[in-house]
Amino acid sequence: MDITRYMPVLSWGRRYGRKELSADLIAAVIVTIMLIPQSLAYALLAGLPPEAGLYASIAPIVLYALFGTSKALAVGPVAVVSLLTASAVGQVAEQGTAGYAIAALTLAFLSGGFLLVMGVLRLGFLANFLSHPVIAGFITASGILIATSQFKHILGVSGHGDTLPEMLLSLATHLGDINWITLGLGGLSISFLFWVRKHFKPFLLKLGAPEKLADVLTKAGPVFAVIATTVAVWAFELQTQGVKIVGEVPQSLPPLTLPGFAPELLGALLLPAILISVIGFVESVSVAQTLAAKKRQRIDPDQELIGLGAANMGAAFTGGYPVTGGFARSVVNFDAGAETPAAGIYTAIGLAIAALALTPLVYYLPNATLAATIIVAVLSLVDLSILKTTWSYAHADFSAVAATILLTLGLGVEVGVAAGVIISVLLHLYKTSRPHVAEVGRVPGTEHFRNVLRHDVQTHPSLLTLRVDESLYFANARFLEDLVQNRVSERTDIKHVVLMFSAVNEVDYSALESLEAINFRLGEIGVGLHFSEVKGPVMDRLKRGHLLEQLNGKVFLSQNDAFRELTHD
């Protein structure tokens, strides 16, 4: 057994040198600066104390660096998973209680266990059943929900609700309670962060700053907002004017913690943990593959499951909550020049130092600033153009996206995730249950066969050739059976039917029975059934049954051979 497959660190660690060390340290400094306010903000989104965000960004990063295969993926709390955590844990415990924190640890434990089992069993392919349009719809809806959920902190009012209508109604009923100082801090923070994203780097470059420095300062935009608003609250004692602040954050490294193992708690959180695992894995692998492709590298999805599973297990035993690979931080890590996963380990060290030494500095940090950080970050996830794109490309995909968005906004994220999985599977079944089957003829002067509706081709009245453009299985076998029956019924001069199997990669037992039924019915009316261009693995499978022994016709190596023999051309 190749142990480096399960511990990639043993592979890249052997080649680690001074060049990699220098690049990884620079990337780690930049990512650490970005993660400090982001980790605090996402803990707030998950309904947990701010330190939980830091804790969830330390041990999980180290464990992923040891077991993961992406050189640039940065693991930790992300917006969508934080929202899912708040939704799931809020069903079993009240926010602010010890039970809430234990439930979050348990959720990370179950999520990590599920990911590890999938990785050991090499089940990474299951994530392919979530279609991209459905994922895009869910993430867009989640971004809207997350941004809306943070406006209570921007306005300085109470608010609740897991769905968009509930949140909007709750905000509307508390509009008379707006704290205008909080609104001013939050509004200025949002405006500043948007300005930093679009205009700060060009502004610095115009002043003559080196591009690398301009990049670092732009990424540190949230830190500037944190410093400015924290100093303002401290200097003017705005907390006495109703401005809610972070308050005391423990100065400590991540503690050793234990998730809850009560059967009732495990049962209540099992399904949410599975949904969080699937969504987190899909998001993480998508980011990792995109970044790896830019450097002609590759990742192993099954080993990624193990890396993410280990990271979540680490979060469960060190005071965190479910984590995954984040898009924004991973892109920053990549752009900053990270050469190996060791950059993540150095980032964890930086965050550990912050947890020990810098937490007293965030005592006066207003919650409105953290909310502004979240709002600006998640609005980049909102992509309503997917509706227009899918509508113009395929109405079925549009229906899936629209349904996922509406269900997520109207009924909550858990229903949205479950609906996304179900819609993805149903969409696949719908598309493959009606496979494209084209009647083909020979292009004059060639041995090529094309669709009779698209090309000027040669056909013969006694020969019907159908090219099946999909593997045959239980969901679409009856469709082909009915199609052949209808075509033969419409044309009484047909003497031979050829099924062109050049695009068929598999025939399951249900489809085999349908082919046998087609053969029997055609034989009863004196029509021969033939096959052409059958792939080797499919032919091997067909030989195990009785179809070929009872076949009314022949199996031809090429469609041209079938055309020439059956039409005597």
Side-chain angles (χ1 to χ4, degrees):
M1 182 179 70
D2 183 12
I3 193 171
T4 60
R5 176 189 176 277
Y6 293 99
M7 289 196 69
V9 63
L10 299 178
S11 177
W12 60 260
R14 294 193 191 103
R15 303 185 297 272
Y16 200 74
R18 185 174 298 176
K19 175 187 172 185
E20 289 78 11
L21 173 64
S22 175
D24 288 345
L25 282 174
I26 293 172
V29 170
I30 296 172
V31 175
T32 301
I33 292 172
M34 174 188 177
L35 283 189
I36 292 173
Q38 195 179 79
S39 298
L40 298 173
Y42 288 152
L44 178 73
L45 177 60
L48 292 163
E51 64 268 18
L54 289 175
Y55 298 159
S57 300
I58 297 177
I61 295 180
V62 175
L63 288 167
Y64 177 82
L66 299 178
F67 295 100
T69 60
S70 172
K71 298 182 185 302
L73 192 71
V75 171
V78 300
V80 173
V81 171
S82 298
L83 178 66
L84 289 167
T85 298
S87 176
V89 176
Q91 303 295 321
V92 299
E94 185 178 348
Q95 189 172 326
T97 64
Y100 192 94
I102 291 174
L105 297 173
T106 306
L107 194 62
F109 174 78
L110 290 172
S111 180
F114 182 72
L115 288 165
L116 286 173
V117 169
M118 286 185 67
V120 171
L121 297 179
R122 304 180 69 83
L123 297 179
F125 70 92
L126 291 177
N128 296 333
F129 284 99
L130 273 174
S131 70
H132 174 72
V134 166
I135 287 292
F138 171 73
I139 290 178
T140 291
S142 296
I144 294 172
L145 283 179
I146 291 168
T148 306
S149 72
Q150 296 308 296
F151 274 103
K152 63 185 179 184
H153 299 295
I154 299 294
L155 299 175
V157 301
S158 299
H160 64 273
D162 297 320
T163 67
L164 186 61
E166 290 174 351
M167 291 178 189
L168 293 176
L169 181 61
S170 177
L171 288 174
T173 57
H174 290 89
L175 287 179
D177 303 327
I178 292 177
N179 184 295
W180 295 101
I181 299 177
T182 300
L183 178 58
L185 291 171
L188 287 173
S189 296
I190 290 175
S191 301
F192 173 74
L193 291 173
F194 273 121
W195 180 82
V196 165
R197 280 196 164 201
K198 291 187 177 182
H199 305 294
F200 195 37
K201 183 177 178 181
F203 173 73
L204 292 173
L205 293 176
K206 187 178 289 187
L207 292 178
E211 185 164 355
K212 200 77 173 178
L213 177 62
D215 269 334
V216 173
L217 293 176
T218 301
K219 299 295 189 301
V223 177
F224 298 143
V226 165
I227 294 172
T229 54
T230 301
V231 170
V233 172
W234 169 75
F236 299 103
E237 298 185 356
L238 298 181
Q239 76 277 11
T240 63
Q241 304 298 315
V243 175
K244 294 183 179 179
I245 58 176
V246 168
E248 186 174 352
V249 178
Q251 279 184 270
S252 70
L253 291 173
L256 291 177
T257 53
L258 278 177
F261 296 105
E264 304 82 23
L265 182 62
L266 294 174
L269 294 177
L270 180 59
L271 181 58
I274 293 174
L275 296 177
I276 286 174
S277 301
V278 172
I279 290 295
F281 173 63
V282 171
E283 179 181 354
S284 179
V285 167
S286 298
V287 174
Q289 287 176 332
T290 299
L291 297 180
K294 290 184 178 181
K295 288 191 175 182
R296 297 192 177 184
Q297 298 166 349
R298 63 177 297 274
I299 65 164
D300 180 352
D302 293 315
Q303 184 59 29
E304 284 298 290
L305 284 165
I306 293 176
L308 291 173
N312 276 280
M313 283 294 187
F317 290 99
T318 57
Y321 65 97
V323 297
T324 192
F327 177 76
R329 71 186 65 183
S330 298
V331 170
V332 170
N333 197 36
F334 179 87
D335 290 343
E339 289 286 339
T340 72
I345 297 177
Y346 305 143
T347 299
I349 293 173
L351 291 171
I353 294 172
L356 277 173
L358 301 181
T359 50
L361 301 179
V362 299
Y363 181 90
Y364 291 101
L365 173 60
N367 288 345
T369 303
L370 293 180
T373 302
I374 294 173
I375 290 171
V376 174
V378 301
L379 284 181
S380 64
L381 302 176
V382 177
D383 179 20
L384 293 175
S385 66
I386 190 72
L387 292 169
K388 180 181 178 181
T389 303
T390 52
W391 175 261
S392 61
Y393 186 76
H395 287 3
D397 286 329
F398 168 80
S399 300
V401 173
T404 303
I405 290 176
L406 291 175
L407 287 171
T408 303
L409 294 178
L411 299 177
V413 289
E414 289 188 7
V415 173
V417 175
V421 174
I422 294 171
I423 290 172
S424 293
V425 174
L426 291 179
L427 194 59
H428 171 74
L429 291 175
Y430 171 75
K431 289 179 177 178
T432 57
S433 67
R434 301 178 61 83
H436 182 261
V437 179
E439 182 177 348
V440 298
R442 185 169 65 180
V443 178
T446 73
E447 295 183 0
H448 300 294
F449 287 77
R450 296 291 184 268
N451 192 328
V452 297
L453 300 178
R454 295 177 179 269
H455 301 273
D456 184 15
V457 294
Q458 296 173 333
T459 60
H460 194 280
S462 67
L463 176 65
L464 171 66
T465 299
L466 299 175
R467 190 189 67 221
V468 183
D469 293 334
E470 185 77 57
S471 291
L472 297 175
Y473 71 118
F474 66 91
N476 62 19
R478 186 59 185 268
F479 176 84
L480 178 64
E481 193 176 333
D482 294 339
L483 178 66
V484 172
Q485 183 71 27
N486 292 337
R487 291 291 181 89
V488 173
S489 300
E490 293 169 357
R491 293 167 49 182
T492 56
D493 52 351
I494 292 176
K495 298 301 180 185
H496 301 282
V497 173
V498 180
L499 296 181
M500 187 175 174
F501 268 26
S502 54
V504 176
N505 295 316
E506 188 170 352
V507 176
D508 75 357
Y509 188 75
S510 297
L512 175 64
E513 289 186 327
S514 286
L515 293 175
E516 290 175 344
I518 293 171
N519 180 60
F520 177 76
R521 291 172 185 168
L522 292 180
E524 284 191 320
I525 59 175
V527 176
L529 176 64
H530 311 269
F531 295 94
S532 70
E533 303 187 10
V534 183
K535 294 182 178 180
V538 176
M539 181 62 77
D540 293 340
R541 184 68 60 87
L542 294 179
K543 286 178 180 177
R544 298 176 191 172
H546 301 291
L547 173 65
L548 299 181
E549 299 171 5
Q550 302 168 354
L551 194 63
N552 299 322
K554 298 173 61 176
V555 178
F556 294 94
L557 184 62
S558 73
Q559 179 55 34
N560 192 57
D561 291 342
F563 187 84
R564 292 176 60 186
E565 180 171 328
L566 298 176
T567 62
H568 306 292
D569 180 14

